[in-house]
Structure formats: structure tokens, C-alpha cells
Amino acid sequence: MLHRLDSGSTPGNRTDDHRVVLAVEGGGMRGAVSSGMLLALEQLGLRNSFDVVVGTSAGAIAGAFFVTGQGTSGSVLYYTVLNSERFVNRRRLLREGSIMDLDYLIDEALDRHGFSWNALVESDIPLHATVTPADPENPKHLFEVGTDEAHARRVLAATACLPVIAGPSRFVDDNEYIDGGMTEAVPWVSALSFDATHVLVIRSRGFNKDAEPEPLNRFERVTVPRMVRRMHGEHVADVVNLSAMRFWNTTESLRAVLEGKATPVGTRGRPVEIDAVIPPPETDLPDRLEVDTHVLMDALTAGAQAMIDYLDLEGFAVEQRVVVTHPRAPVGRVRTTALSPIVSNRRATSR
């Protein structure tokens, strides 16, 4: 990543033969953490280091802002739009059968806050989103997001359609889908399929300390399956029941790779370099339906700082509003053009 910044390498005009893929975890409102990490990458001038972005649920929506160069403005949504009752309203579950209003987010809020669908369609970095088929006969688990605006809206709604919380399943190309996190919450395996030589995984939470699946509470064991079965059918209910175990398998496999206990092989038939950026253990992580402004802003800040720490860049800090700063940056509200030369000259500023 840093070498590509130094050399001025850009998507479609590479000076190396690597294929660097970014895999972004979601997690509902916990996606503020991964959104903060993407914000830091953007402001540090490292967007052009990636060839493909793969996201799940909120990670795919944050990825859409990132590939269009709008990551900073996208992060603002967490404490201006997504924390409002217009988007998250628990009382709406009984009235309308959902807590989150995805239609409001995708079809109103993004447009109102200046998201450029045209930039997404024309982006030089393709974005792909994971989905979970509602039909057991449908093998489709991954969509390219930016083929056209209407398709992009449908895919982003589908990848974030968490059963019950986000209402009924969504149609894409005449098939129904639910949240991609039900089958691949951390899309590092899908990232391998894009001829990857390197994969950077963006996590919105850490690994389970005990290396064991987290037990479900009574509400998750009893009430949720009934509601899912009534709204989505038997197959989706089974998928939801198995999602926690799938998540554990996915993350433990990733942990094994990061610890050198396993070696993933990419489509080139050779080992792939994989690394991950994980929020520090002391981070006060938002839950899936968090609406507290301070918690969400702290999560954004923690995510951005985690990325700076991962890159081992000294002198950089994250302000609460949330922007990356450096004492040598010549502007107050930092822009990529102000920070990227400092990052490129990291030999003088890194530990």
C-alpha cells in the first residue's frame, strides 16, 4: 500500500503485478468502526492502493463511499442520519415488521447527503457486496455493486437486509436475498476470488477471546427464529440459526491465517498475503442498533486511529469531528493532498 503511494501507482495503471483487495466487515451500527478505518485510508491518500473492494452489509455501504472518494462525508451519516428514529426505531418492528428503514437510507438519505451514484458506477475500483440467497437453490453470494445506479441501490439494500431488523428480503435480478453477513460476515474468503495477491481485512470487532462461538441468548434462540420463519420462510430461518457458527468458522480461519497456522491459496495457485486491522480491545463497540451519538463518534475515531496504528505512522492523530491531522499538514481541515506527501515520506515520521 505504502509503496504504491510512493510510486504514484493508481488503479488501471499499476507499476507492479500485485492484486490488492480490501475486505470490509459490516455489523449494523458497529460498522462505524470499519467506516472510521476507511476514512483514515482515504484521508491518508491510500485509496488508490487497492484494486478491488469487497464488503458485507454496512461494510459494503461504507465501501461505496470509499471507492467514490467520499469516505469522510459517508462517516458523518453515523451521527447525523443513522442514529435517528427515522432510520432506527424499535417500535416500528411491531407496526411495520422492521427496525431499520433501508429504503430511507438507500433512496433518500444517501441522495440528500450528496452521495454520487454516478461516481460509484464509474469508479476505477470495483465494489462487490456479499449477499445470502433466500432460496436454497440459488448459489449466488456475491454481486458487483456499480453496474448501474438502479442495480447498485438494490444490491446495497440486499447486502444489509438483516432478517427481522431490516424487514423482508430484497430482490436483485428476480431473486430474493438477505444480509450477506448471514453467510460471510467477514468477506476475506470472497476477496481471494478476485485474483488477489494481498488482502487487507477491515474488522469492526475483535476475535473472540475464548476462541469459541458466543452462546445465543434466549431471545436469539427462541423469539428470533420464529419471527424469521414467519417473515422469510424455513430456509432463511435455518440460515439465521447457523449464522453464529458460520461467523465463528470464518473468523477462526482468519485468525489461523494471521497467526501463521494456515496458508490461504488464491486463484493464481500461490499463497496470498493476508493482514487485518482490528479495533483495540478497549474500544467501546456499538451494538448492531446503537444510536448514541457519542458512542458512534468514538467508534469512528477508534477505527481511524486503529488504521493509523496499523500503518505505524507517528505524529498523526484523529480529531473528534472525525478527521486525521498531522502537525506538518499545511491546512486546518485536512485533505488528502495535505497528508499523502507526509505519509509518503514516512521514513522521517514513522516509529
Side-chain angles (χ1 to χ4, degrees):
M1 289 161 51
L2 294 170
H3 174 74
R4 284 181 164 182
L5 177 65
D6 290 345
S7 64
S9 174
T10 58
N13 187 30
R14 294 298 183 202
T15 56
D16 56 60
D17 62 354
H18 300 306
R19 185 86 162 157
V20 183
V21 182
L22 185 64
V24 189
E25 181 179 4
M29 301 299 277
R30 195 178 58 250
V33 176
S34 44
S35 185
M37 294 179 183
L38 295 181
L39 175 151
L41 283 174
E42 178 181 293
Q43 293 188 5
L44 293 169
L46 291 166
R47 171 199 177 273
N48 287 341
S49 295
F50 299 96
D51 300 295
V52 179
V53 176
V54 184
T56 293
S57 193
I61 295 173
F65 280 95
F66 180 71
V67 301
T68 59
Q70 301 175 84
T72 300
S73 59
S75 67
V76 172
L77 292 175
Y78 276 98
Y79 53 89
T80 59
V81 173
L82 303 184
N83 63 335
S84 69
E85 282 198 350
R86 184 66 181 82
F87 179 61
V88 177
N89 188 336
R90 296 173 188 268
R91 295 189 299 272
R92 193 164 47 222
L93 179 61
L94 297 178
R95 188 172 66 247
E96 301 176 18
S98 68
I99 297 176
M100 289 182 171
D101 189 341
L102 286 179
D103 291 327
Y104 165 69
L105 172 63
I106 302 298
D107 296 328
E108 293 184 43
L110 295 190
D111 292 345
R112 190 180 304 154
H113 284 76
F115 178 74
S116 174
W117 294 97
N118 186 58
L120 177 59
V121 172
E122 297 181 353
S123 174
D124 52 359
I125 304 176
L127 171 68
H128 296 259
T130 65
V131 292
T132 300
D135 181 350
E137 301 301 319
N138 182 5
K140 185 79 172 181
H141 285 274
L142 198 63
F143 277 106
E144 183 173 359
V145 176
T147 54
D148 61 68
E149 179 179 331
H151 188 264
R153 291 179 188 268
R154 289 193 293 270
V155 172
L156 290 181
T159 187
C161 184
L162 192 67
V164 179
I165 288 178
S169 54
R170 300 300 178 118
F171 279 92
V172 182
D173 298 340
D174 299 323
N175 288 300
E176 291 183 80
Y177 298 92
I178 59 171
D179 192 293
M182 294 294 97
T183 48
E184 194 179 9
V186 188
W188 70 275
V189 175
S190 285
L192 296 175
S193 68
F194 292 98
D195 202 22
T197 59
H198 300 74
V199 175
L200 181 64
V201 183
I202 299 292
R203 298 268 347 245
S204 62
R205 53 181 156 174
F207 294 99
N208 191 335
K209 294 180 181 179
D210 300 326
E212 294 181 359
E214 295 182 5
L216 301 177
N217 59 40
R218 181 175 176 79
F219 178 76
E220 293 170 326
R221 292 195 315 269
V222 180
T223 306
V224 170
R226 290 176 183 170
M227 298 177 69
V228 172
R229 189 171 288 107
R230 185 171 65 249
M231 181 178 293
H232 298 274
E234 198 69 36
H235 171 66
V236 172
D238 291 341
V239 169
V240 171
N241 286 338
L242 293 173
S243 62
M245 182 58 71
R246 286 197 183 97
F247 175 78
W248 181 79
N249 287 333
T250 297
T251 54
E252 285 305 300
S253 296
L254 176 61
R255 194 207 300 250
V257 169
L258 297 176
E259 293 177 351
K261 299 176 181 177
T263 304
V265 176
T267 53
R268 297 189 183 194
R270 67 185 188 187
V272 178
E273 295 290 334
I274 297 182
D275 211 344
V277 185
I278 301 170
E282 65 272 15
T283 304
D284 184 13
L285 295 175
D287 65 30
R288 195 182 295 274
L289 297 175
E290 184 64 68
V291 294
D292 186 288
T293 299
H294 297 292
V295 173
L296 293 170
M297 290 193 71
D298 287 347
L300 283 163
T301 303
Q305 188 62 54
M307 180 58 70
I308 291 171
D309 293 343
Y310 168 77
L311 294 169
D312 200 24
L313 297 172
E314 186 154 324
F316 290 83
V318 185
E319 292 186 358
Q320 189 67 28
R321 45 184 179 154
V322 175
V323 293
V324 180
T325 64
H326 189 278
R328 290 169 49 204
V331 294
R333 185 170 177 79
V334 174
R335 298 184 294 270
T336 295
T337 52
L339 286 181
S340 57
I342 302 172
V343 177
S344 186
N345 190 30
R346 64 193 181 283
R347 293 176 184 82
T349 58
S350 63
R351 287 188 288 273

